[in-house]
């Protein structure tokens, strides 16, 4: 049995280029991307992977046209509804990383329902990074920690300062959207781009990075296995020797 990651994170990139190549609208590309995502979720469940995180919409993706942004949220609502039965069947637990409360109301409702309905499942934990940006997330974590120190009951300025001095990397990590989730062992990015684009910057400290030239809608379970094989060949040292 090859060495499998506990946590796989994917930057699903290339939907727009795929659409262009196939003479479709950008939204058609995102729709095709959803189908590729379904395949990977299923494969993760089959392999017994513990955590899968997908980058679905970044805090910077709001820069896109209103119609593309609305279309992406529309697709999310559509797939949350159509895939619920299969996610339940596969025992998948779904949650969201990022502040999705500012999304359109039907998307918020669909995500709340998905989280509630799958909350008691015990299989693959599927994390959807939606309106997620690592810098915003780290800043929010820092603010929460600082506020907790200042609001600690009965603490005077010296005690507050002493508490702040005691913060550890683990304390900070607990305050992130990924708090309680192990760091990703493997991060895959498709479409030939080789950057993190504000995804899991803290958590990626020791992740293995695998880049694929394949555009996300063409990313098949076979291609996924190639990334896993590549991961299995890597030697992870975490700074040790
Ligand atoms: C990734 O595909 C999906 C999202 C960012 C929502 P893109 O839409 O970025 O596809 P390209 O990079 O334009 O090909
Ligand atoms: C990253 O892809 C975000 C998602 C896949 C959701 P982008 O296409 O937004 O990233 P850049 O702009 O190429 O860095
Ligand atoms: Mg892109």
């Amino acid at each position: 049995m090859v060495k499998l990651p506990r946590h796989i994170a994917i930057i699903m990139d290339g939907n727009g280029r795929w659409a262009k190549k196939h003479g479709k609208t950008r939204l058609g590309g995102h729709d095709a991307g959803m189908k590729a995502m379904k395949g990977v979720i299923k494969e993760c469940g089959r392999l017994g992977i513990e955590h899968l995180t997908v980058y679905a919409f970044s805090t910077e993706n709001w820069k896109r046209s209103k119609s593309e942004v609305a279309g992406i949220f529309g697709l999310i609502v559509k797939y949350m509804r159509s895939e619920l039965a299969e996610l339940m069947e596969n025992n998948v637990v779904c949650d969201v990383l990022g502040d999705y409360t500012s999304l359109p109301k039907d998307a918020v409702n669909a995500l709340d329902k998905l989280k509630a309905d799958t909350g008691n499942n015990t299989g693959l934990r599927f994390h959807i990074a939606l309106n997620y940006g690592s810098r915003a997330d780290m800043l929010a974590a820092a603010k929460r920690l600082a506020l907790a120190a200042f609001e600690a009951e009965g603490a005077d300025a010296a005690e507050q300062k002493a508490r702040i001095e005691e913060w550890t990397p683990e304390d900070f990590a607990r305050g992130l959207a990924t708090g309680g989730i192990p760091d990703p062992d493997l991060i895959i990015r498709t479409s030939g781009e080789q950057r993190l684009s504000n995804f899991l910057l803290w958590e990626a400290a020791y992740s293995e990075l695998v880049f694929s030239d394949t555009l996300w809608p063409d990313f098949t379970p076979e291609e996924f296995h190639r990334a896993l094989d590549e991961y299995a060949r890597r030697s992870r040292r975490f700074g040790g020797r």
Side-chain angles (χ1 to χ4, degrees), residues 2-240:
V2 294
K3 180 182 66 171
L4 284 174
R6 263 186 92 184
H7 181 181
I8 301 170
I10 306 184
I11 303 172
M12 310 182 292
D13 198 13
N15 294 348
R17 278 161 283 172
W18 183 92
K20 194 162 183 199
K21 191 172 139 191
H22 293 271
K24 300 198 167 149
T25 62
R26 287 190 65 85
L27 208 56
H30 294 309
D31 194 44
M34 289 288 189
K35 296 193 180 92
M37 189 176 81
K38 277 177 55 175
V40 171
I41 297 172
K42 206 165 175 183
E43 197 54 20
C44 283
R46 216 180 58 76
L47 292 168
I49 301 293
E50 280 177 63
H51 297 271
L52 171 67
T53 301
V54 297
Y55 205 6
F57 191 86
S58 77
T59 45
E60 288 72 34
N61 287 149
W62 291 101
K63 292 178 194 161
R64 298 185 179 199
S65 75
K66 268 204 173 113
S67 66
E68 180 174 354
V69 170
I72 290 173
F73 296 148
L75 279 175
I76 287 169
V77 174
K78 181 180 130 188
Y79 275 89
M80 298 300 105
R81 293 202 179 119
S82 67
E83 296 314 306
L84 181 63
E86 193 168 330
L87 290 167
M88 292 304 288
E89 207 173 294
N90 293 323
N91 201 18
V92 179
V93 192
C94 301
D95 68 54
V96 181
L97 309 181
D99 178 19
Y100 66 97
T101 56
S102 52
L103 265 50
K105 198 151 178 30
D106 57 344
V108 175
N109 291 342
L111 289 160
D112 281 340
K113 180 169 160 41
L114 182 75
K115 279 169 52 178
D117 288 352
T118 63
N120 290 325
N121 289 342
T122 55
L124 171 71
R125 288 184 57 191
F126 177 53
H127 314 282
I128 310 165
L130 200 54
N131 193 18
Y132 173 87
S134 199
R135 287 185 170 180
D137 190 38
M138 287 194 280
L139 186 60
K143 286 180 183 172
R144 270 196 297 275
L145 269 177
L147 285 173
F150 288 131
E151 285 162 3
E153 217 170 317
D156 62 18
E159 283 170 66
Q160 288 166 348
K161 200 167 167 238
R163 277 170 193 256
I164 290 172
E165 290 296 346
E166 280 166 13
W167 288 346
T168 64
E170 291 73 27
D171 291 328
F172 184 74
R174 263 193 298 279
L176 297 172
T178 51
I181 304 170
D183 287 342
D185 302 291
L186 167 65
I187 297 180
I188 299 170
R189 184 170 186 148
T190 57
S191 87
E193 309 299 348
Q194 304 195 352
R195 55 177 169 262
L196 289 173
S197 301
N198 203 14
F199 187 49
L200 305 178
L201 301 183
W202 170 279
E203 298 86 337
Y206 275 99
S207 302
E208 295 299 327
L209 308 180
V210 170
F211 299 106
S212 158
D213 286 334
T214 302
L215 301 172
W216 175 250
D218 290 331
F219 195 78
T220 57
E222 291 71 37
E223 179 100 10
F224 182 52
H225 274 272
R226 276 198 283 281
L228 292 175
D229 290 344
E230 163 86 40
Y231 171 81
R233 286 194 295 271
R234 301 274 178 93
S235 154
R236 303 185 76 191
R237 289 187 286 276
F238 299 97

